[in-house]
Amino acid sequence: MHTLGMLKLTAAALLTLSGAPPAKKLNVVTTTPDLAALAREIGGDLIDVTALAKPTEDPHFVDPKPSSLVILNRADVLIEGGAELELGWLPPLLDNARNDRIASGAKGRIVASQGIHMLEIPATFDRSRGDIHSLGNPHFLVDPVAAKIVAANIADHLGQVDPANAAAYKAKLQTFNTAVDRKLVEWQKALEPHKGAKLVTYHKDFVYFAARFGLDIVDELEPKPGIAPSPAHLAQVITAMQTAKAKVILVQPYQNRKTAETVARQTNATVLDMPEQPGAIPNTTTYFQLIDHLVQTLAAGLEEKQ
Ligand SMILES: [Zn+2]
């Protein structure tokens, strides 16, 4: 009796000391690290965020791990890029994760491409020819204005899943939008001297970035999104680069840098490491650090080639 009484007292005292028991954080899972960075901007301390893909992985071709199933099974919210970005790897994982909270159409399922003005939607498409951008170009997050649309979508869904904190998510969205507006002026100023600069990319992954900052993408090393460069195609790219006087080639960590370097040697161009995923290289943890890095790397690379 005596011992039990003491235990009850101790438990009551602990509760008094710590206040109410801590609320459970929302378990948010994203397909890619860029979406995780945006989720952290909106969810802050109210959520735990896990990205399924590593920052150094191609978002089109992610290696599914057994742990991904467990992560998806426990998720309160899933954020995907959409527009078939993850078509090759996410659907089978979701089939096996058995989680209605993140089923298609559920409050806990966020499709980032919803509300985005998609570029490069093909008039006709034939997946059998290997094009992996069959619903339009899914690499829109490097456009800060598109990121604001995605952030609003995230805030809206987090508020639906967790109504008690809906106002907090809204407030964080406001803070994010204000910060983007302020930084966008800075980013535009940094790239202003390079308006119309000719670029070559490995994949069609800078289309939205180029449109936002007035840059001109001349060609890609891939003949089609997802199709490896062939010698015949690379010969065409070299001619196109010489004609347009393109002096930089942008690559991601998971793309074949050697191929880019071979082309660069024949065109007196420079290969620039331009990762679109936060965390692929040091000091790019947040969305703002990532775009800072892209803008600074590109401005410096173009400056050097003038
Ligand atoms: Zn792509």
Side-chain angles (χ1 to χ4, degrees), residues 60 85 132-133 137-139 203-205 225:
H60 289 293
L85 175 70
I132 53 171
H133 288 181
N137 191 307
H139 306 287
H203 182 76
K204 273 182 174 278
D205 43 15

Side-chain angles (χ1 to χ4, degrees), residues 19-280:
K24 187 183 158 284
K25 287 188 182 188
L26 271 195
N27 207 343
V28 176
V29 177
T30 72
T31 53
T32 49
D34 50 357
L35 292 168
L38 286 186
R40 284 189 193 99
E41 295 287 342
I42 304 307
D45 292 340
L46 298 169
I47 64 172
D48 281 323
V49 189
T50 312
L52 296 174
K54 290 197 278 273
T56 48
E57 268 182 310
D58 185 336
H60 289 293
F61 305 103
V62 173
D63 254 341
K65 294 174 284 288
S67 60
S68 301
L69 278 184
V70 181
I71 291 167
L72 283 169
N73 178 261
R74 293 175 183 164
D76 297 310
V77 173
L78 170 64
I79 310 176
E80 64 172 318
E84 298 196 343
L85 175 70
E86 303 95 341
L87 183 70
W89 59 277
L90 185 62
L93 279 178
L94 282 173
D95 283 347
N96 289 299
R98 298 170 183 276
N99 181 349
D100 290 343
R101 291 187 300 277
I102 57 167
S104 188
K107 281 186 272 190
R109 180 72 167 270
I110 304 174
V111 182
S113 62
Q114 271 172 12
I116 299 290
H117 175 68
M118 299 293 290
L119 300 177
E120 301 185 329
I121 296 176
T124 58
F125 72 87
D126 180 1
R127 220 172 266 130
S128 66
R129 289 181 307 174
D131 192 340
I132 53 171
H133 288 181
S134 46
L135 291 184
N137 191 307
H139 306 287
F140 45 80
L141 274 187
V142 282
D143 170 11
V145 176
K148 281 167 60 174
I149 295 169
V150 177
N153 197 357
I154 293 173
D156 176 47
H157 276 261
L158 291 184
Q160 287 181 51
V161 175
D162 178 20
N165 287 310
Y169 300 127
K170 236 182 200 163
K172 283 196 165 289
L173 173 64
Q174 201 55 53
T175 305
F176 177 74
N177 286 342
T178 306
V180 169
D181 291 343
R182 187 173 49 79
K183 287 293 287 186
L184 189 55
V185 176
E186 192 185 303
W187 292 326
Q188 273 165 334
K189 205 173 158 195
L191 288 173
E192 180 69 38
H194 306 291
K195 273 252 156 77
K198 313 285 183 198
L199 319 174
V200 169
T201 60
Y202 191 98
H203 182 76
K204 273 182 174 278
D205 43 15
F206 279 93
V207 170
Y208 294 83
F209 186 89
R212 177 60 53 201
F213 295 107
L215 307 160
D216 183 9
I217 297 173
V218 173
D219 213 340
E220 292 84 30
L221 301 190
E222 288 181 337
K224 269 187 193 182
I227 305 293
S230 63
H233 177 71
L234 291 178
Q236 283 174 26
V237 173
I238 288 168
T239 306
M241 283 182 75
Q242 286 163 341
T243 307
K245 298 186 168 49
K247 290 293 173 213
V248 293
I249 304 174
L250 316 187
V251 297
Q252 308 270 342
Y254 48 83
Q255 292 164 350
N256 193 331
R257 203 180 197 281
K258 279 217 161 72
T259 302
E261 282 165 358
T262 305
V263 173
R265 264 197 302 278
Q266 295 179 59
T267 51
N268 187 30
T270 303
V271 178
L272 298 179
D273 294 299
M274 295 273 284
E276 294 196 352
Q277 294 298 333

